Amino acid sequence: MNTLPEDPMILFSFINTKLRDNYASLDALCDDMHISKADLVAKLGSVGFEYNPSQNKFW
């Protein structure tokens, strides 16, 4: 995940923007960006965010 923002709040905003503008799912984003879904979910989860697949965003 070295190409992603380190700060969890900036990462939250970055990922949600990507999901909103470019990807139909978190799986599609992770596959395209070659990042670990588990690592991303864990990093955002560590500060209280969780992914909602029906809304395709973290909150």
Side-chain angles (χ1 to χ4, degrees):
M1 286 187 3
N2 10 357
T3 61
L4 298 176
E6 289 296 319
D7 180 273
M9 295 306 290
I10 295 172
L11 178 62
F12 166 75
S13 177
F14 176 81
I15 293 297
N16 274 345
T17 299
K18 289 283 191 187
L19 287 169
R20 182 192 68 218
D21 295 346
N22 303 105
Y23 298 98
S25 70
L26 183 58
D27 289 324
L29 178 143
C30 291
D31 288 345
D32 188 54
M33 296 185 72
H34 308 290
I35 57 177
S36 166
K37 179 181 174 180
D39 290 348
L40 179 60
V41 169
K43 184 163 187 169
L44 289 173
S46 72
V47 291
F49 296 114
E50 63 182 59
Y51 180 66
N52 181 315
S54 66
Q55 294 191 3
N56 192 34
K57 68 178 181 178
F58 281 88
W59 57 347

